[in-house]
Amino acid sequence: MSDNIIVEVASEKHVAYVDEILHTIEEAAKVRGTGIAKRDPAYVTKKIREGKAIIAMDGDKFVGFCYIESWEHEKFVANSGLIVKSEYRGMGIAKRIKKAAFELSQKKFPGAKIFGLTTGAAVMKINTELGYHPVTFTDLTTDPIFWKGCESCVNYDILCRNNYTRCLCTGMLFDPSWQALGTSQSKKKKVVVAYSGGLDTSFNVMYLTKHGYEVYAACVNTGGFSAEQLKTNEENAYKLGAVKYVTLDVQQEYYDKSIRFMVYGNVLRGGTYPISVSSERIFQAMAIARYAKEIGADAIAHGSTGAGNDQVRFDMTFLVAAPGVEIITLTRDMALSREFETEYLNRHGFPADFKKLKYSYNVGLWGTSICGGEILDSKQGLPESAYLKQVKKEGTETISLQFTKGELTGVNGETFDDKVKAIQKVESLAAPYGIGRDMHVGDTIIGIKGRVGFEAAAPMLIIAAHKFLEKFTLSKWQQYWKDQVGNWYGMFLHESQYMEPVMRDIEAMLESSQRNVNGTVTMLMRPYGFETVGVDSPDDLVKSKLGEYGEMQKGWTADDAKGFIKVSSTPLRVYYAAHPEEAGKI
């Protein structure tokens, strides 16, 4: 249907559609809950007759519209009133209209600065592709008649309170002089910013944009972002000046290449912490490096400080996975404070409200870490309010976890081909009990001691169930050596050594050890804890025809047992026969 739609400069024959155009604009404003400056029919009619409007038509049906206005003696031109009827959205019509209006503005007002105000990420993206940049309102026209047009907007009081310097809209500007000066986007250095939506990475996007870089904001999802958060990240990235925003979802890769091996190895750093953040960062960095190579980026930027482990994990991964690409670390290199970054964003038109919270959180598929607050005082623990997932369930509840060759494949009888969803299912059942909360103290990569709180209901339950099942299905020495190897695997992950070749060798051993780890583990959940109940496995070594522990031997005689014990005691009898004086001291 979009092939039949014509986008053209409006003419006298389109005046008949003015009422429908204005009605469509007003209805869209109501749906979005944002403001659109109203224009009366005579004004829009005038624009059409002057050849200063773009219209999209599907035969004799109105599809979309936009008009242009000039200000300050044609120094500025605004593209306004962009609208597409609801039934035609998602077809690229808005982009075609906006491009036509942009070209019409350049034709009618050569040399003018072209600008617009918008609250929508889609329009910001279109503007960015055309060469616009986010700017402060002070960079736009000062003509009072233009700003008077905002009086009909529901957000006008916000504009007034800020003395016409900011509102909910983002100001975007195209200045022809940028191209004349050789600063067009095609000649800028490309930088990929590892973007989380937080203060440091938001500052990176805006600062690098203002300093001549073509910024690509890439948010890597390892299970810690909701759909709503990702949408907000996209909107803010374009407001901050990014030419492109992408979400790189690596949850499945993170599971396939790391989490499943951490389960195989029952990896808990210090016997406590399921290595949530440590492992995530590696996969975030690898995804950023791949994307940087894909788009031919000149640089990669991240927001790590100089006081933590993440700087090591990001930099080391980039050096190996994206050799020759510059690494930019503004927060670390400039020793930036939160106050400086917040003030910079505010001053340049991004109303930042990044309050210094008592706690900072890192949420991911394999758990949530908690820093700050009482964590900083070794004498204190975390209060209930510090945890993101509050205790909502009482009493007890049974949960059964099914494993196939060491992988979680079923929860309460429900089979999962997607292991990420299986983990999320366990989390949904266990987190309301407050399961998996603890505190970890350990040595950081940079040499200082670190303390972190965490909540990891699914990881703690899954690892406990898996380890319990292995006690039934693995030999003594399989368990022993797997414990040694699993400990090294976790340590190397934490130390940013995931790319060390020996990790592939360790993974091969861990995977091989799981060939008989099959069965269902029953566990009992309760507020703040759980216990293992039993195992049903076709590979259960406890069910042996040779004997039942503490009950009856079936594979040997009493004389066999006495002979075994006598032979086993031989080394001790030899030693104490030679040193009888020591035997008396025991």
Side-chain angles (χ1 to χ4, degrees):
M1 186 166 60
S2 60
D3 295 338
N4 300 322
I5 295 170
I6 296 175
V7 176
E8 60 185 337
V9 177
S11 61
E12 182 66 32
K13 66 181 179 181
H14 298 117
V15 170
Y17 296 95
V18 167
D19 289 341
E20 187 177 358
I21 291 169
L22 295 175
H23 176 74
T24 304
I25 292 173
E26 290 178 16
E27 288 302 308
K30 291 177 185 177
V31 171
R32 293 205 304 264
T34 57
I36 294 180
K38 292 182 180 178
R39 297 297 186 195
D40 61 34
Y43 184 84
V44 175
T45 299
K46 181 171 179 280
K47 288 295 169 188
I48 291 175
R49 286 176 171 157
E50 290 176 344
K52 296 178 180 177
I54 299 294
I55 195 165
M57 299 293 296
D58 184 3
D60 60 355
K61 295 179 181 178
F62 165 69
V63 173
F65 183 77
C66 182
Y67 61 90
I68 64 176
E69 305 169 290
S70 62
W71 307 97
E72 291 186 43
H73 306 290
E74 301 182 359
K75 179 181 176 182
F76 289 91
V77 175
N79 293 170
S80 303
L82 177 63
I83 191 68
V84 174
K85 294 200 75 171
S86 58
E87 59 266 37
Y88 289 94
R89 289 175 191 160
M91 300 167 60
I93 307 302
K95 186 174 183 178
R96 290 174 59 190
I97 294 173
K98 186 70 178 178
K99 186 174 184 294
F102 179 73
E103 292 171 349
L104 181 63
S105 300
Q106 291 179 306
K107 180 179 179 180
K108 282 190 169 289
F109 304 100
K113 297 177 180 179
I114 306 171
F115 74 97
L117 299 175
T118 182
T119 57
V123 176
M124 289 179 217
K125 185 175 183 180
I126 294 170
N127 285 348
T128 300
E129 291 173 354
L130 290 171
Y132 288 70
H133 291 279
V135 294
T136 62
F137 285 10
T138 55
D139 293 317
L140 307 180
T141 180
T142 57
D143 193 319
I145 298 177
F146 171 81
W147 296 105
K148 185 175 176 61
C150 293
E151 288 181 359
S152 58
C153 175
V154 295
N155 299 317
Y156 184 63
D157 63 317
I158 300 174
L159 182 66
C160 293
R161 287 200 306 271
N162 289 288
N163 196 28
Y164 294 86
T165 60
R166 66 173 68 96
C167 193
L168 297 187
C169 283
T170 297
M172 300 195 76
L173 179 73
F174 172 84
D175 187 340
S177 65
W178 292 336
Q179 291 179 318
L181 293 171
T183 57
S184 63
Q185 290 183 359
S186 62
K187 295 185 179 180
K188 292 182 179 181
K189 290 178 70 174
K190 287 184 179 180
V191 59
V192 175
V193 174
Y195 178 68
S196 68
L199 176 59
D200 295 324
T201 59
S202 296
F203 173 84
N204 269 259
V205 172
M206 177 171 279
Y207 185 90
L208 292 170
T209 297
K210 296 290 184 185
H211 285 75
Y213 285 86
E214 184 180 86
V215 177
Y216 292 72
C219 178
V220 186
N221 184 18
T222 49
F225 293 97
S226 66
E228 183 180 358
Q229 288 172 320
L230 292 173
K231 183 176 183 296
T232 299
N233 276 1
E234 179 177 11
E235 292 174 351
N236 287 340
Y238 287 117
K239 288 180 181 179
L240 290 161
V243 300
K244 186 173 179 60
Y245 167 88
V246 293
T247 295
L248 306 173
D249 194 317
V250 297
Q251 293 180 83
Q252 193 61 54
E253 178 188 8
Y254 177 35
Y255 172 81
D256 289 338
K257 294 183 177 180
S258 181
I259 290 178
R260 71 185 181 102
F261 294 108
M262 290 194 284
V263 175
Y264 294 164
N266 303 315
V267 173
L268 293 174
R269 185 163 172 78
T272 305
Y273 179 48
I275 315 191
S276 308
V277 180
S278 316
S279 54
E280 280 183 23
R281 290 291 185 259
I282 300 298
F283 288 87
Q284 290 167 348
M286 290 195 299
I288 292 292
R290 284 196 301 267
Y291 181 65
K293 290 167 69 176
E294 177 186 322
I295 66 170
D298 303 290
I300 297 172
H302 63 88
S304 300
T305 69
N309 291 324
D310 287 345
Q311 59 177 327
V312 182
R313 294 171 183 139
F314 279 118
D315 281 14
M316 282 184 65
T317 305
F318 296 150
L319 286 168
V320 175
V325 177
E326 180 187 1
I327 301 171
I328 299 173
T329 54
L330 301 176
T331 307
R332 176 177 63 186
D333 296 350
M334 297 168 67
L336 301 175
S337 68
R338 294 181 64 86
E339 291 72 24
F340 176 86
E341 291 180 341
T342 301
E343 192 278 332
Y344 181 90
L345 292 172
N346 285 330
R347 179 159 41 89
H348 288 87
F350 187 83
D353 187 25
F354 296 99
K355 297 177 182 177
K356 175 63 176 175
L357 301 177
K358 184 175 182 179
Y359 306 106
S360 63
Y361 300 91
N362 186 88
V363 184
L365 178 63
W366 205 234
T368 297
S369 67
I370 308 170
C371 297
E374 292 80 6
I375 295 288
L376 304 174
D377 184 349
S378 298
K379 300 187 296 294
Q380 296 190 65
L382 287 171
E384 180 75 20
S385 59
Y387 294 97
L388 293 180
K389 297 177 180 179
Q390 297 293 297
V391 177
K392 297 178 181 178
K393 289 185 177 181
E394 299 178 351
T396 61
E397 180 182 347
T398 298
I399 184 172
S400 64
L401 304 183
Q402 180 182 343
F403 293 87
T404 305
K405 294 186 177 180
E407 284 193 272
L408 179 68
T409 53
V411 181
N412 287 344
E414 180 182 357
T415 301
F416 289 87
D417 293 326
D418 186 335
K419 310 307 188 297
V420 170
K421 285 186 168 54
I423 293 169
Q424 292 169 336
K425 179 68 174 182
V426 176
E427 182 72 19
S428 70
L429 295 172
Y433 281 107
I435 289 172
R437 296 177 175 183
D438 209 336
M439 198 85 65
H440 169 62
V441 180
D443 297 288
T444 65
I445 304 172
I446 58 176
I448 60 177
K449 290 282 186 181
R451 187 175 185 232
V452 63
F454 64 89
E455 50 185 340
M460 299 305 284
L461 239 115
I462 293 168
I463 288 175
H466 177 265
K467 188 170 186 177
F468 191 54
L469 178 60
E470 284 189 324
K471 291 179 179 180
F472 289 79
T473 58
L474 295 187
S475 73
K476 175 174 67 174
W477 294 113
Q478 278 182 306
Q479 290 184 71
Y480 175 84
W481 285 110
K482 204 175 66 62
D483 284 347
Q484 315 311 309
V485 170
N487 182 57
W488 276 96
Y489 189 79
M491 183 165 59
F492 271 37
L493 268 180
H494 176 269
E495 299 286 320
S496 191
Q497 293 294 327
Y498 176 80
M499 290 185 169
E500 163 60 47
V502 74
M503 292 291 274
R504 309 294 81 78
D505 302 322
I506 293 175
E507 288 166 355
M509 186 273 180
L510 290 174
E511 186 158 28
S512 173
S513 73
Q514 301 300 294
R515 59 190 180 275
N516 297 317
V517 183
N518 304 300
T520 299
V521 181
T522 302
M523 310 182 83
L524 188 67
M525 301 184 294
R526 59 177 181 276
Y528 305 106
F530 62 89
E531 61 187 79
T532 50
V533 176
V535 161
D536 181 12
S537 170
D539 300 294
D540 185 356
L541 299 179
V542 174
K543 297 176 181 178
S544 171
K545 295 180 180 180
L546 298 179
E548 295 177 9
Y549 178 71
E551 298 295 332
M552 179 64 68
Q553 79 275 11
K554 299 177 183 179
W556 60 90
T557 67
D559 287 338
D560 291 337
K562 286 186 283 187
F564 167 76
I565 296 167
K566 188 172 183 178
V567 172
S568 297
S569 70
T570 299
L572 294 175
R573 288 187 291 119
V574 168
Y575 182 87
Y576 286 110
H579 305 285
E581 73 283 0
E582 292 187 20
K585 296 178 181 179
I586 297 175

